[in-house]
Amino acid sequence: MATGASEVIFLALTSFYPQVCISAFVAGTGIASLISPLYYTVLATWSCASPKTAILMTIPLPVLFLVFYAVLDKDYIANGSHSSPKEHTEVEYTMVGSTSDTTDQIVTAPQKLPCGEKLKISWRILQFIIPLILSFFAEYLTYSSVITTIAFPDSQVMPRDHFLFYSLSYTIGKFIGRSFLLMFACLSSEATDFLKCDRTWVFAALEIAHLLFFLFESWYHFVGHIWIIISLCSTLGLVAGMIALHSAHAVARHVEPEEREFALGLVTVGNAVGAFLAGLVGLILEPYLTEKCVEHFSASKEFCFTRHQNTTAWESNIHC
C-alpha cells in the first residue's frame, strides 16, 4: 500500500516540476528495485544473516515516504510553475518574446478538473494505460509464477538460489531501463527527446514475447544453461523498466500542462491492474507448471520450485 500510494502521489507531483523530474522519479524506483534484491541476496546467500533478519530490517523504511514529502520543495506546487518557484508579488510581470521550447515549460496554476474533463483525459491516455496493463501482466506473471518453475539440476546452483539469481538479474535490467534517460539528462533537450518513445505498445509486445518464451521453457525445458535464463531475466526487467519510463513521459507530452497531475496519477492504474491480474492468474498457473516440472525432473523434484515452500530456514541461514 505504501509503495502504490507513494507512486501515485510523487509521480503526479512531478507535473509541477521540470520534466527531468519524471526521469528522476522513475530512476529512483529503478534504483530501489535493484537495491532490494541485491540487499536480500547478499544477506541471505552470501552472508550468514537469516531471511527473518533481512526482512525485519526493512520495516521502518516506509516512514521515509513521509520524511521526503516533508522536505520536498513545495514552492513549485504553490506557484503552479516549475520555471520560477519564487515570484515577487510587487513586480508586474509581462510575457516577452519566447520560443516554443520555453512556452512548453509554462505550467498554469493548479485547478480542480471537472469529472467530464477527467473522463476525456482518461480516454486520451488509454493508449498508454492498456500497454502498461499488458506489460505489467506479462512481467509479473513471468517473474512471480513462471521462472519459479525453471531450474537446472546440473548447474551446481542450489534450488532456492535459482530464483535469487533470476531476481537479481531481472532487477539489474529493470534499473537500467528505468534510469537510462536520467543518465543522459546532461545532453541537450533535442537529444533526450530523440531517446523518448511514444509507441509503448512495442515494449508490451516484447514483454509478452518474454512471457511466451519462459512458458515454453518451463513446459519443455529445452534451454541447456542457466545463464541463458539469467540473461533473459535481465532483458525482461530492461523492457519493463523502459515502458514505465516512456509511458510517464508520453502522458506528460500528450496532455495539457494543467491536466498533467491527474493524468500522471491515473496512468499508474495500468501498473496496478496488470500486476493484480498477474497475481490471480499465477495462483493457477504456477502449481500447474510445477507439476509438469516434477514429471520432467522426477529424480530432482526439489528443483521444480525455486522459492522457499516452508519456513524451516526462516530464522537460520542454510549457507552457514
Side-chain angles (χ1 to χ4, degrees), residues 1 4 7 129 132-145 268-285:
M1 290 180 64
E7 182 176 25
I129 295 178
L132 274 175
I133 293 175
L134 296 175
S135 175
F136 271 72
F137 173 79
E139 172 196 355
Y140 278 89
L141 184 61
T142 301
Y143 176 69
S144 63
S145 303
T268 60
V269 170
N271 310 5
V273 172
F276 176 71
L277 293 177
L280 292 180
V281 175
L283 292 175
I284 302 173
L285 180 63

Side-chain angles (χ1 to χ4, degrees), residues 186-200:
C186 58
L187 300 178
S188 64
S189 58
E190 292 80 7
T192 54
D193 287 342
F194 176 77
L195 295 174
K196 297 173 184 176
C197 177
D198 291 348
R199 296 180 176 88
T200 55

Side-chain angles (χ1 to χ4, degrees), residues 82-284:
H82 57 56
S83 57
S84 56
K86 294 184 179 180
E87 296 182 354
H88 300 282
T89 56
E90 68 276 7
V91 178
E92 181 179 355
Y93 289 90
T94 58
M95 181 176 290
V96 297
S98 60
T99 63
S100 59
D101 292 336
T102 57
T103 55
D104 287 341
Q105 297 298 319
I106 298 175
V107 179
T108 59
Q111 53 183 301
K112 186 175 181 180
L113 297 171
C115 291
E117 189 64 26
K118 290 180 179 179
L119 289 175
K120 292 179 181 178
I121 298 171
S122 304
W123 177 256
R124 291 208 305 272
I125 67 173
L126 190 62
Q127 59 179 311
F128 304 113
I129 295 178
I130 292 177
L132 274 175
I133 293 175
L134 296 175
S135 175
F136 271 72
F137 173 79
E139 172 196 355
Y140 278 89
L141 184 61
T142 301
Y143 176 69
S144 63
S145 303
V146 179
I147 63 173
T148 56
T149 63
I150 299 175
F152 298 84
D154 299 329
S155 64
Q156 308 301 318
V157 178
M158 296 182 64
R160 69 177 291 272
D161 290 347
H162 278 67
F163 183 75
L164 292 180
F165 287 117
Y166 295 160
S167 179
L168 182 59
S169 174
Y170 159 78
T171 51
I172 289 174
K174 195 171 185 177
F175 161 71
I176 296 173
R178 287 179 175 244
S179 306
F180 83 97
L181 277 182
L182 186 63
M183 297 175 184
F184 294 107
C186 58
L187 300 178
S188 64
S189 58
E190 292 80 7
T192 54
D193 287 342
F194 176 77
L195 295 174
K196 297 173 184 176
C197 177
D198 291 348
R199 296 180 176 88
T200 55
W201 59 267
V202 174
F203 303 109
L206 290 173
E207 287 294 87
I208 293 173
H210 277 84
L211 171 61
L212 293 176
F213 177 86
F214 283 115
L215 281 173
F216 278 111
E217 163 57 18
S218 178
W219 189 277
Y220 295 108
H221 300 279
F222 56 86
V223 176
H225 301 282
I226 186 175
W227 295 108
I228 296 177
I229 299 300
I230 292 176
S231 299
L232 288 174
C233 286
S234 181
T235 59
L236 175 74
L238 176 68
V239 177
M242 292 180 73
I243 190 173
L245 176 62
H246 288 296
S247 295
H249 278 288
V251 167
R253 291 195 302 273
H254 278 73
V255 297
E256 298 299 324
E258 64 272 13
E259 300 170 344
R260 286 177 187 165
E261 181 183 11
F262 172 75
L264 287 172
L266 181 63
V267 76
T268 60
V269 170
N271 310 5
V273 172
F276 176 71
L277 293 177
L280 292 180
V281 175
L283 292 175
I284 302 173

